[in-house]
Each structure stands twice: as structure tokens, then as C-alpha cells.
Amino acid sequence: AMRRAVRERYRFDDETAQWTITKDEVLVKMDNKPFAAGAMRECFAMKKLSTFAAHRDWARADNMVAKSYIKPVNPQTYYDDVLLQMESKILGDAYNLTDPPKKVDF
């Protein structure tokens, strides 16, 4: 079963190295049970529907993965993880430009 929630979006601008809270709220539905878990985090299936979308059809909403720490952590840890993921994506994209035998994605 999926639950519905309205959340604000936090974004990091890599040009200014600043976090901003945007007013563009999104609607999300997230599974109650994780589909995978590691030593520190669980992963949940999630759908995101923009409030700016011309449709309100959850079947056409973007599929995403929500990650949550199993044990409580300092809120700064979430921001650090986002920065690490962004850096990994940039490095992975640069690697893929070398036409490797197997491409990577983050």
C-alpha cells in the first residue's frame, strides 16, 4: 500500500554551493515496506507527481527510490549523502564518455 504526502523540495546549487528550499511542492506516494536494505539504509519504492503536471495520473507519475536511515542520524548526514551522490553522478557521467565496456549510473 502506498501513502500520500506533500513535501517541500530541498535543492543544492552546485554553482553557488548553496542549499535552497523551493516552493514547488510535490506529491509522493511511497510503499510502507522497503524493497531492499543495507547496513545503514532502507530503500522504498516511490512515485512523484509534480503539482505543475497537466495530469494527476499516478500511473504516469515518475518512479523513484526513497532512502531512509534505519537508525536516527544527524540531519546533516542527509545533505552530505546528497552531495556525495551528485559527485558520483558527475564522475560516472565523465567515465561513460570514455566509452567503457560497461557504463555506470548513479
Side-chain angles (χ1 to χ4, degrees):
M2 296 188 113
R3 63 180 186 254
R4 181 179 172 192
V6 178
R7 300 286 183 244
E8 289 183 327
R9 191 182 312 195
Y10 291 73
R11 294 182 185 200
F12 183 78
D13 184 334
D14 59 344
E15 291 182 15
T16 64
Q18 297 291 316
W19 286 94
T20 58
I21 301 171
T22 60
K23 297 297 180 185
D24 57 326
E25 292 180 323
V26 294
L27 300 174
V28 298
K29 284 186 176 183
M30 189 170 78
D31 275 340
N32 294 324
K33 291 185 178 183
F35 67 84
M40 297 171 49
R41 290 184 297 244
E42 298 174 310
C43 298
F44 298 85
M46 184 177 88
K47 286 191 167 275
K48 178 180 75 78
L49 186 66
S50 171
T51 55
F52 298 112
H55 65 83
R56 296 283 184 188
D57 183 1
W58 284 103
R60 294 172 42 200
D62 293 331
N63 291 315
M64 309 196 84
V65 174
K67 296 179 182 179
S68 180
Y69 280 91
I70 297 168
K71 295 180 181 176
V73 296
N74 181 316
Q76 183 60 43
T77 303
Y78 284 95
Y79 295 98
D80 294 342
D81 275 354
V82 169
L83 295 178
L84 180 62
Q85 196 73 24
M86 288 176 64
E87 183 78 16
S88 298
K89 178 72 172 164
I90 291 167
L91 293 172
D93 289 348
Y95 171 76
N96 290 339
L97 290 174
T98 68
D99 198 26
K102 185 174 180 181
K103 294 185 185 255
V104 296
D105 189 25
F106 290 92

